Amino acid sequence: MKKIIVILAVIFSYQASAQINFNDFFLSKTLRFDYTRAGNSDTSFVYFEQLKEEPYWGGSEVNLIDKFNFGDYRIMLYDSTGNKLIYSRGYSTLFREWIETEEAVKLSRSYYESVVMPFPKNKAILKLQNRNRKNVFHTVFEYTINPKDYFIVKDKTDKYSIEKIYGSGKPETSLDIVVLPEGYTLQEMSKFKKDVARFITYFFKVPPFKENKNKVNFWMVNAPSEESGTDIPGNGIWKNTVLNTHFYTFKSERYLTTRDVKQIRDLAAYAPYDQIYILVNSKKYGGGGIYNYYNLCISDHQDSEQVFTHEFGHAFAALADEYHYGVDNADEMYNMNVEPWQVNITNLVDFESKWKNMVDKNTPIPTPDTKEYKNKLGAFEGAGYVEKRMYRPMHDCKMRSNQVNEFCPVCLKAVTEMLEFYTK
Ligand SMILES: [Zn+2]
């Protein structure tokens, strides 16, 4: 019975997506929905902040319904009747990571969050959804959008200059990456441009981007910072910068993030975009990437090249880290009775739903991490920060270490499918 329901649901969602004509429901610009998510490790709430109209829509006008089922959260946008799904997107946030920390057991705190959608022509119903412990989405917040509401913020985007530094495709059929400068002073804006050009060459060294150069656009917004560099709280270093990034996120020295999501979105709005990349003017090792939220990479470390595409694997295709910290804490990190939703890790509860069909029949599962299987696809123990009972597709991959500059076949497939989704 369960299977029949699943099949019907798949057919229904396919029909729903097949019937949506962009121009029937949307104008080619962005509606941004900002809110605060607050709470702790037990519970969380969503509080409305603002709606904002932004000048461009960079996403696909064909693939409006998310088919991937990735992310900790999801937005669902319905037409005015509430029956027809017209746009959806999965995503994750820094708050979702924070609730796994020790601090979240004792303290409640709030994070600013933001989601974007094409600008609806008529009234529409927005639902924000969370996953439960069984990884099933449920609605936690609902808001009726009136596109004629005069409280929709319409701030100008003319303070900074914008440059399309690479690509010639139309935004709706291209993967558009907007690069934001962090910790580059006015005098360093020419360095920013050189750095972006260098990172574009890094990007196109890695498959599948290597073979799809004509499907990608890079934009840069010239927003200088007062001071050079970024915050390093553990070393007592604080800089006045445009995006307020910092190392030592959750006390992890190399974890580079920012909580200033409002400012990020305000700067990204200068370009049509699918992904936001923050390039941080620093020599110190670090980075971060959260699915459909943002990417961060440092400009001048010897491993910057590897970090750049690794973080993009997180933010673009929701890939999990394939490394572990040598700790056997799977039950703390995951519900080990269901598959984690990330495509490139498995606890073997339902390996068929992951990459089992890509594995050679003669390869044992779990796969011994020996010379014999070094370049073979299998299920290798140690992944998703967990040493035991969580498995990764290959001995090594871009999502595991900086030693290889390629995605393993499972990650490559996910990134390739996402690229196709955005460029249709
Ligand atoms: Zn991989």
Side-chain angles (χ1 to χ4, degrees):
M1 185 64 195
K2 232 181 188 176
K3 265 195 178 151
I4 292 169
I5 292 168
V6 170
I7 290 163
L8 284 175
V10 168
I11 292 168
F12 181 76
S13 67
Y14 171 73
Q15 284 179 341
S17 64
Q19 286 164 6
I20 295 161
N21 179 358
F22 185 88
N23 294 318
D24 289 349
F25 293 97
F26 299 111
L27 301 169
S28 191
K29 53 187 176 180
T30 290
L31 181 68
R32 198 175 105 194
F33 182 86
D34 290 6
Y35 58 95
T36 297
R37 199 186 290 270
N40 51 49
S41 58
D42 276 342
T43 184
S44 67
F45 297 95
V46 164
Y47 304 92
F48 173 67
E49 289 281 351
Q50 66 165 5
L51 283 167
K52 188 163 179 257
E53 180 184 322
E54 296 180 338
Y56 309 106
W57 174 246
S60 171
E61 292 186 355
V62 177
N63 285 324
L64 294 162
I65 308 301
D66 188 338
K67 63 174 187 175
F68 294 101
N69 196 31
F70 296 162
D72 295 298
Y73 305 123
R74 186 166 70 179
I75 63 163
M76 306 283 272
L77 186 69
Y78 294 87
D79 73 347
S80 56
T81 69
N83 295 323
K84 191 180 179 75
L85 183 65
I86 54 174
Y87 180 80
S88 68
R89 197 67 21 127
Y91 65 108
S92 296
T93 69
L94 195 57
F95 177 86
R96 181 63 186 77
E97 296 182 10
W98 174 76
I99 60 173
E100 304 287 344
T101 66
E102 273 175 40
E103 189 182 52
V105 178
K106 302 172 220 143
L107 179 72
S108 292
R109 62 186 299 184
S110 65
Y111 281 67
Y112 200 93
E113 295 186 358
S114 175
V115 289
V116 291
M117 63 208 86
F119 199 95
K121 277 186 171 170
N122 302 305
K123 273 190 184 171
I125 297 162
L126 177 69
K127 292 182 180 179
L128 299 189
Q129 300 188 325
N130 294 5
R131 282 188 199 269
N132 63 18
R133 280 284 291 166
K134 289 180 179 167
N135 277 347
V136 178
F137 282 112
H138 63 285
T139 300
V140 296
F141 190 83
E142 199 173 314
Y143 187 94
T144 300
I145 293 167
N146 174 7
K148 296 190 173 63
D149 184 348
Y150 57 60
F151 282 113
I152 297 174
V153 177
K154 295 175 188 67
D155 288 349
K156 284 184 187 143
T157 48
D158 58 0
K159 190 176 173 189
Y160 304 112
S161 66
I162 167 91
E163 214 172 313
K164 193 185 199 185
I165 187 167
Y166 179 89
S168 55
K170 286 182 186 168
E172 62 270 29
T173 51
S174 303
L175 167 62
D176 290 272
I177 302 166
V178 60
V179 187
L180 306 179
E182 165 68 343
Y184 289 84
T185 62
L186 191 60
Q187 292 73 27
E188 288 175 310
M189 291 318 286
S190 57
K191 177 180 188 294
F192 173 55
K193 190 170 179 176
K194 269 190 216 156
D195 287 349
V196 174
R198 177 164 52 89
F199 278 86
I200 290 171
T201 66
Y202 296 163
F203 189 77
F204 287 127
K205 277 193 204 173
V206 179
F209 311 116
K210 194 178 175 178
E211 305 85 358
N212 289 285
K213 287 183 178 175
N214 60 335
K215 291 186 180 166
V216 184
N217 296 329
F218 276 92
W219 304 80
M220 46 184 280
V221 180
N222 294 308
S225 290
E226 287 294 316
E227 289 184 275
S228 185
T230 185
D231 299 344
I232 313 176
N235 299 3
I237 294 170
W238 295 90
K239 302 283 183 168
N240 182 359
T241 55
V242 70
L243 295 174
N244 293 306
T245 64
H246 61 87
F247 286 95
Y248 284 91
T249 303
F250 312 142
K251 295 185 179 172
S252 167
E253 183 174 356
R254 67 181 192 180
Y255 195 15
L256 180 60
T257 66
T258 168
R259 287 158 49 79
D260 202 347
V261 169
K262 185 170 186 288
Q263 174 74 344
I264 292 169
R265 286 282 195 200
D266 283 346
L267 288 190
Y270 279 67
Y273 67 90
D274 300 297
Q275 283 286 315
I276 299 169
Y277 218 120
I278 300 164
L279 196 55
V280 181
N281 189 18
S282 174
K283 289 186 169 77
K284 189 174 168 61
Y285 182 76
I290 301 174
Y291 181 49
N292 283 341
Y293 188 67
Y294 56 55
N295 301 264
L296 297 103
C297 183
I298 32 71
S299 60
D300 293 288
H301 187 272
Q302 59 183 10
D303 290 334
S304 284
E305 174 170 354
Q306 281 74 20
V307 174
F308 190 73
T309 35
H310 171 95
E311 302 304 351
F312 199 74
H314 290 308
F316 181 58
L319 298 175
D321 279 313
E322 292 178 16
Y323 55 80
H324 64 81
Y325 293 122
V327 185
D328 182 11
N329 59 344
D331 295 297
E332 277 171 41
M333 299 259 334
Y334 302 94
N335 175 359
M336 292 300 277
N337 299 313
V338 294
E339 275 288 332
W341 57 259
Q342 294 90 339
V343 283
N344 62 328
I345 56 173
T346 177
N347 48 19
L348 300 178
V349 167
D350 182 14
F351 191 36
E352 282 80 8
S353 70
K354 292 292 173 68
W355 63 91
K356 190 181 178 184
N357 64 350
M358 294 168 72
V359 179
D360 190 302
K361 283 194 183 77
N362 298 319
T363 302
I365 300 296
T367 313
D369 202 351
T370 58
K371 226 178 178 180
E372 188 184 351
Y373 298 104
K374 196 173 175 226
N375 295 313
K376 291 232 164 98
L377 206 58
F380 297 82
E381 195 166 33
Y385 315 121
V386 169
E387 187 181 16
K388 305 276 182 201
R389 297 183 291 139
M390 193 62 82
Y391 302 84
R392 62 185 191 275
M394 258 187 135
H395 169 71
D396 210 351
C397 165
K398 173 164 269 308
M399 296 315 291
R400 180 159 193 256
S401 81
N402 290 332
Q403 307 307 313
V404 291
N405 202 21
E406 286 190 2
F407 292 108
C408 72
V410 172
C411 292
L412 179 64
K413 183 169 176 274
V415 175
T416 304
E417 285 173 1
M418 193 59 81
L419 186 61
E420 280 168 15
F421 183 78
Y422 276 96
T423 54
K424 274 271 153 60

